[in-house]
Amino acid sequence: MRPWRSGPSDRRGYHHGNLKEALIEAARRFIAERGIGGFTLVDAARLVGVSPAALYRHFRGREALLEEVAERGFTELAARLARALRGPGTPLERFTRMGEAYLTFAEEEPGYYAAIFEARPVGPDGSPPVQAPRDRDAFGLLVEALRHTFPDGFSGGVDPRFVALEVWALSHGIATLAAAGRLPTGPGLPTKYDLLRAGVVAMVHGARAR
Amino acid sequence: MRPWRSGPSDRRGYHHGNLKEALIEAARRFIAERGIGGFTLVDAARLVGVSPAALYRHFRGREALLEEVAERGFTELAARLARALRGPGTPLERFTRMGEAYLTFAEEEPGYYAAIFEARPVGPDGSPPVQAPRDRDAFGLLVEALRHTFPDGFSGGVDPRFVALEVWALSHGIATLAAAGRLPTGPGLPTKYDLLRAGVVAMVHGARAR
DNA sequence: TGTACATCAGTGAACGCGCGTTCACTGATGTAC
DNA sequence: TGTACATCAGTGAACGCGCGTTCACTGATGTAC
């Protein structure tokens, strides 16, 4: 990776001009390549072309930077899911497209994805908060999507949260297996999108038939 | 954690007597507590009560130890799955029980589970092999289980491998979300076992109805 | 049964390394007058 | 428009630390005679 600067003026002198953003971007890239554990502040600073100490003008430390990356990642993920859900088609089609957007996000942004699921949220005082607000947000988003997509609900009074959890767990499983390169592929074997699509259909169907 | 020795004589002098096994056991525990990235040779040696250099009498280095842990873990997992599948009940019941055994293993042996999925397999020369034999084994095991459980196959000629992948991805997703403490729980929300059971039923049913 | 000795499984000190973080500092920026 | 100066965002050297690994070594074990 070559040193990288963002913003209009590519070569500034003493002042970088956009260091915070550049560091977040560098972290995202390194996490994508080496995982959360393999990410170091020193490498991020070097990539951006700045001394490691400069980082502390913008972040409390390593954990704070990771948490910021996770935050950005989650915002991006939520935006993509919402966009996918908004399109045309039957409820089931739109919901399925949302699932595909999830898999695509995990594939295109492995750094964000890993940060979202591995970064330990940090409270203002440095200790972990009781529960990460993102967790509730992520799950709530999915439940709301299901409720909007199937406003009549499921027969038998099946809780939409149940279906939401099911779909989320399947998506996460497919995404992480694929990211680890452990999803068997080959002639006659389904792609991850095939897998998710069939799984969603089966689960929604299952919930309606119960 | 207190220093720990295994085998019949708990206090040996210069020679430990069972160092290899003790180190594997220590690694399993540390990985369970801190994850793969948080595991260090030095800590493992200290826990066992031995100098860090002693480790090199039994392993090439850190990676080799991790790979050994993964190997043991996989053997144990395979044994548990096979045992669960062997019991009484209808095909679907037995298959469902196998899924529950998978979740239980991930919960009871988080060290093994993490090692299985995160350790990078190492060939004899130190470079990674083309494909980890374990991967094929794990998947093959699941497919065989499905074939034995539903000898009549699925209607519409649905490939058992398809269903196997689906079930595996769901199980893995549930297990990892649960291990990360990110599976929402609360009154009215399903347990991970509920989730897997309903998912398996839906998927098998979906495959037969297609 | 007793002794000599090869083999094996440990020790402990040391190494080079890269990490996250701190500190006093300095160069650049932008605002007040 | 020009100058003084407060503020801000960088530097670079240094730190203590713990890591994985190596090395020459030594104590224990078990076998041959």
Side-chain angles (χ1 to χ4, degrees):
Chain A
M1 289 197 275
R2 292 180 308 131
W4 181 88
R5 283 159 186 273
S6 76
S9 65
D10 201 73
R11 254 283 151 220
R12 298 242 209 156
Y14 201 87
H15 287 68
H16 183 283
N18 209 7
L19 184 54
K20 186 175 183 184
E21 297 302 316
L23 285 170
I24 292 170
E25 178 67 15
R28 205 203 60 185
R29 289 212 229 167
F30 275 115
I31 297 168
E33 284 185 6
R34 313 178 185 176
I36 292 275
F39 161 74
T40 72
L41 295 187
V42 173
D43 277 339
R46 185 157 35 218
L47 177 65
V48 167
V50 106
S51 108
L55 202 142
Y56 289 82
R57 293 285 159 205
H58 302 278
F59 301 97
R60 259 169 173 275
R62 190 187 128 98
E63 287 309 305
L65 171 52
L66 286 179
E67 180 53 21
E68 182 77 35
V69 174
E71 200 60 49
R72 301 279 174 111
F74 180 73
T75 303
E76 167 71 13
L77 172 59
R80 287 196 188 203
L81 295 185
R83 204 182 312 137
L85 194 63
R86 253 189 259 112
T90 69
L92 184 57
E93 279 168 4
R94 283 155 56 214
F95 191 68
T96 301
R97 217 181 306 120
M98 184 170 149
E100 288 168 358
Y102 188 95
L103 291 188
T104 302
F105 174 80
E107 178 176 346
E108 290 179 356
E109 298 289 355
Y112 273 158
Y113 197 80
I116 289 173
F117 280 99
E118 288 185 42
R120 284 265 141 257
V122 177
D125 59 343
S127 63
V130 183
Q131 194 195 5
R134 264 189 283 115
D135 276 16
R136 268 174 290 124
D137 287 357
F139 182 54
L141 192 82
L142 187 54
V143 174
E144 276 316 295
L146 260 183
R147 286 215 170 98
H148 276 93
T149 314
F150 304 98
D152 301 341
F154 301 100
S155 63
V158 172
D159 192 333
R161 294 181 301 170
F162 195 113
V163 182
L165 272 179
E166 206 102 72
V167 170
W168 184 31
L170 178 62
S171 307
H172 182 64
I174 293 173
T176 51
L177 285 179
R182 301 191 106 116
L183 210 55
T185 53
L189 282 178
T191 68
K192 59 184 174 183
Y193 295 103
D194 295 332
L195 280 176
L196 183 60
R197 213 174 303 125
V200 167
V201 168
M203 281 161 175
V204 169
H205 209 85
R208 315 199 87 171
R210 231 176 293 169
Chain B
M1 290 196 274
R2 290 179 309 131
W4 181 89
R5 284 158 187 271
S6 76
S9 66
D10 202 74
R11 254 283 152 219
R12 299 241 209 157
Y14 202 87
H15 287 67
H16 184 282
N18 209 7
L19 184 52
K20 186 175 184 186
E21 297 301 316
L23 285 170
I24 293 171
E25 177 67 15
R28 203 203 62 185
R29 288 212 228 167
F30 275 115
I31 297 168
E33 283 184 7
R34 314 179 184 173
I36 292 275
F39 161 73
T40 72
L41 295 189
V42 173
D43 277 339
R46 183 157 36 219
L47 177 64
V48 167
V50 107
S51 108
L55 202 142
Y56 289 83
R57 293 284 159 205
H58 303 277
F59 302 97
R60 262 169 172 276
R62 191 188 127 99
E63 287 308 306
L65 172 52
L66 288 179
E67 179 54 21
E68 182 76 33
V69 174
E71 201 59 47
R72 301 279 174 111
F74 180 72
T75 302
E76 167 72 12
L77 171 60
R80 287 196 189 203
L81 295 185
R83 203 183 312 139
L85 194 63
R86 251 189 263 114
T90 69
L92 184 58
E93 279 167 4
R94 283 154 56 215
F95 191 69
T96 301
R97 217 180 307 120
M98 183 170 151
E100 288 167 357
Y102 188 96
L103 292 187
T104 301
F105 174 80
E107 178 177 345
E108 290 179 355
E109 298 289 355
Y112 274 158
Y113 197 79
I116 289 173
F117 281 99
E118 289 184 43
R120 284 266 141 256
V122 177
D125 58 342
S127 64
V130 183
Q131 194 194 4
R134 265 189 283 115
D135 277 16
R136 268 173 291 124
D137 286 357
F139 182 54
L141 192 83
L142 188 54
V143 174
E144 276 317 294
L146 260 183
R147 285 214 171 100
H148 275 93
T149 315
F150 304 100
D152 302 341
F154 301 101
S155 63
V158 172
D159 192 333
R161 295 181 301 170
F162 195 112
V163 182
L165 272 179
E166 206 101 73
V167 170
W168 184 30
L170 178 62
S171 306
H172 182 65
I174 293 173
T176 51
L177 285 178
R182 300 191 107 116
L183 209 55
T185 53
L189 282 178
T191 68
K192 58 185 175 182
Y193 296 103
D194 296 332
L195 279 176
L196 183 59
R197 215 174 301 128
V200 167
V201 168
M203 281 161 175
V204 169
H205 208 85
R208 317 199 85 174
R210 231 177 294 168

